[in-house]
Amino acid sequence: MKATDPKLFLKHVHLFSSIPDEHLEKIQKLTTIRTFKKNSFIVTQGDDSQSLYLVLSGHLKVIVNDEDSGKEIILKFLHHNDYFGELALFDCAPRSASVLTLEETQVALLPASQFMTYLKAHPQIALSILPSLAGRTRMLSEHIYKLASLDTYGRVADLLRDQAKEDEKGVYKTPKMTHQDIASAVGASREMVTKILKELKIGQYINIVNKQIIVNRELPKYW
């Protein structure tokens, strides 16, 4: 795992990509960098909201637990240059979800109170981050629509398309994900996910190596 260059790491975080460097340098001085081992909870559902978290390296999942069934539901996977905890900027309500590391992960903690003080002094910066926050809300709406409108295969395929990134060799592959992780993310049984992945392997659409799914070619629209 390669950590982000600490000189001005905020420049690479999506939320801050439109902010001038002179402001980023000052905001970055407010942060504290922490490293978490694999399978560590960075925040827990119900915790107090006090900080915005910026992912410098690693792989995480955002989860909630269904009170009735006790099942884990994965809301989102997070990667390098993502962020979470942004609701702490707007209210002091408890955390709405937990965030668990899937590998060693480095994050920068930005205290919400200090960041809001800076935004009040520089309101033009607040306008710079609004498009990113609006985009995240739009993505959430699209995610809910897909969960409601796509069948199980469609949701699995959509997740693979979203998570598979091109590496330096031109290979598209996902981070490490178990069949249960995929099932929890798409609202399906592990058995159904296993069946779908098996059929995609038979069709040579994917390979699975060390829990990473390699997408060889465009996945079929229907299964």
Side-chain angles (χ1 to χ4, degrees):
M1 179 193 67
K2 184 178 180 181
T4 298
D5 182 351
K7 292 181 180 179
L8 194 57
F9 55 75
L10 286 189
K11 190 173 184 177
H12 306 287
V13 176
H14 305 312
L15 183 64
F16 298 103
S17 59
S18 300
I19 298 178
D21 287 0
E22 59 268 26
H23 287 289
L24 290 181
E25 291 173 357
K26 295 176 182 178
I27 296 170
Q28 185 164 301
K29 290 179 180 179
L30 303 175
T31 66
T32 301
I33 297 176
R34 291 190 60 188
T35 300
F36 293 84
K37 294 181 179 179
K38 179 181 178 181
N39 293 326
S40 298
F41 279 99
I42 296 182
V43 300
T44 303
Q45 188 175 354
D47 284 350
D48 291 336
S49 300
Q50 298 179 345
S51 297
L52 171 66
Y53 292 80
L54 316 168
V55 182
L56 306 185
S57 63
H59 181 212
L60 314 90
K61 61 181 178 180
V62 182
I63 58 177
V64 295
N65 291 309
D66 188 301
E67 294 183 358
D68 295 326
S69 67
K71 291 183 178 179
E72 176 187 282
I73 301 171
I74 298 178
L75 301 180
K76 184 178 178 61
F77 291 101
L78 299 172
H79 312 282
H80 174 63
N81 292 337
D82 272 327
Y83 61 91
F84 61 94
E86 67 275 12
L87 293 180
L89 300 177
F90 304 103
D91 61 37
C92 297
R95 297 287 184 189
S96 58
S98 301
V99 179
L100 179 70
T101 61
L102 297 174
E103 64 183 40
E104 184 176 288
T105 297
Q106 188 179 71
V107 299
L109 282 70
L110 178 58
S113 59
Q114 294 183 42
F115 186 43
M116 289 302 293
T117 297
Y118 191 87
L119 291 181
K120 289 176 182 178
H122 304 87
Q124 72 276 19
I125 301 303
L127 295 177
S128 297
I129 68 173
L130 285 178
S132 179
L133 295 173
R136 175 158 286 193
T137 301
R138 189 175 298 108
M139 288 175 62
L140 178 60
S141 298
E142 292 174 356
H143 178 65
I144 293 172
Y145 170 76
K146 289 176 180 178
L147 285 176
S149 62
L150 296 176
D151 61 12
T152 302
Y153 167 75
R155 298 196 299 272
V156 171
D158 186 67
L159 178 67
L160 296 183
R161 294 188 191 101
D162 178 65
Q163 293 297 308
K165 307 299 181 184
E166 186 177 11
D167 66 12
E168 63 279 1
K169 296 181 180 179
V171 176
Y172 285 85
K173 59 184 177 181
T174 70
K176 291 183 179 180
M177 295 189 295
T178 66
H179 291 194
Q180 186 58 58
D181 283 338
I182 297 172
S184 297
V186 303
S189 68
R190 181 178 57 80
E191 292 76 14
M192 178 58 73
V193 168
T194 298
K195 183 177 181 180
I196 290 171
L197 295 180
K198 181 179 179 180
E199 292 294 328
L200 289 174
K201 285 179 65 178
I202 291 173
Q204 299 184 343
Y205 289 97
I206 66 170
N207 291 321
I208 302 177
V209 179
N210 194 25
K211 295 183 180 180
Q212 288 185 291
I213 299 174
I214 299 171
V215 180
N216 300 320
R217 54 197 175 103
E218 179 64 30
L219 300 177
K221 188 173 182 180
Y222 302 105
W223 175 66

